[in-house]
Amino acid sequence: MVERDTDVVAKPGPDEPARGAFDGDLDDTATALDLGPAAGDVRDRSIEAGAANATQDDRLTVYFDGACPLCAKEIGFYRRRPGADDVCWVDISEAAGDVAPDLSFDTAMARFHVRSRDGSLESGGAAFSRLWSEMPGFRLIGRFTRLPPIAWLLERAYRFFLRFRPRLQRLAAGKQEATHG
């Protein structure tokens, strides 16, 4: 059971190397958009899980790539907002296997995913809409982006972003090293 106000950090198995940000095929791959100042360490208040299969209570669950500088920055942005303690944040970057019974590591690394309170899994633009719908201060935009024509546009914009994600990740990593190194 995952305690309230904690993250889940999945660790690799003994014979498995840690995996970082996804830089593979760009077919339908994505991550969160870059919003706001540096996030700091998004792994604060973490608990380790032997596998990434964390069963949650009735909270929204956000699966994110903590090794991705863009993802870490955005997740940090959301985690500093009111209502963030009502969300379960799961860093999947070092998962040893499937993230959840219905979510493989590769699929989770390819697109932004959230699990709704009702247990349904959403990805891409729909996942952002769901997250925004659950966060105070973002609920109006969350409802707006769930409208059919807007949801379609958001998903298309998300897929367009995916084409540039690997380059943006490298740029963000370079900036991060320049400011911290």
Side-chain angles (χ1 to χ4, degrees):
M1 184 72 170
V2 175
E3 299 174 23
R4 195 169 202 77
D5 299 326
T6 60
D7 295 336
V8 177
V9 178
K11 298 293 180 189
D15 299 329
E16 198 170 328
R19 298 181 226 183
F22 181 82
D23 274 60
D25 266 349
L26 294 179
D27 299 9
D28 283 333
T29 57
T31 188
L33 298 171
D34 184 14
L35 298 175
D41 186 3
V42 296
R43 296 181 192 197
D44 304 350
R45 303 176 300 153
S46 299
I47 63 170
E48 292 183 9
N53 295 335
T55 0
Q56 307 309 323
D57 48 29
D58 64 349
R59 296 184 292 163
L60 179 77
T61 301
V62 174
Y63 301 100
F64 70 96
D65 177 2
C68 164
L70 295 174
C71 305
K73 192 170 185 180
E74 179 165 10
I75 293 302
F77 170 82
Y78 290 122
R79 290 189 61 195
R80 291 187 302 273
R81 300 296 173 259
D85 290 341
D86 294 329
V87 175
C88 179
W89 306 96
V90 180
D91 179 356
I92 54 114
S93 64
E94 298 178 0
D98 288 349
V99 173
D102 58 346
L103 183 60
S104 72
F105 175 83
D106 291 335
T107 300
M109 292 295 278
R111 291 178 60 88
F112 180 66
H113 288 80
V114 300
R115 183 168 311 280
S116 301
R117 294 172 188 273
D118 67 4
S120 61
L121 191 63
E122 296 180 86
S123 72
F128 279 103
S129 291
R130 178 64 63 195
L131 173 61
W132 296 332
S133 295
E134 299 281 336
M135 298 284 295
F138 294 90
R139 289 187 176 132
L140 185 60
I141 194 166
R143 283 194 299 258
F144 178 71
T145 56
R146 292 190 86 68
L147 296 173
I150 306 305
W152 182 87
L153 288 170
L154 180 61
E155 180 61 25
R156 294 309 167 269
Y158 181 76
R159 288 180 182 197
F160 179 77
F161 167 77
L162 295 177
R163 297 172 193 240
F164 303 99
R165 178 185 177 203
R167 282 177 269 185
L168 293 171
Q169 286 175 312
R170 286 189 291 274
L171 284 171
K175 280 186 179 180
Q176 196 172 30
E177 287 175 13
T179 58
H180 296 352

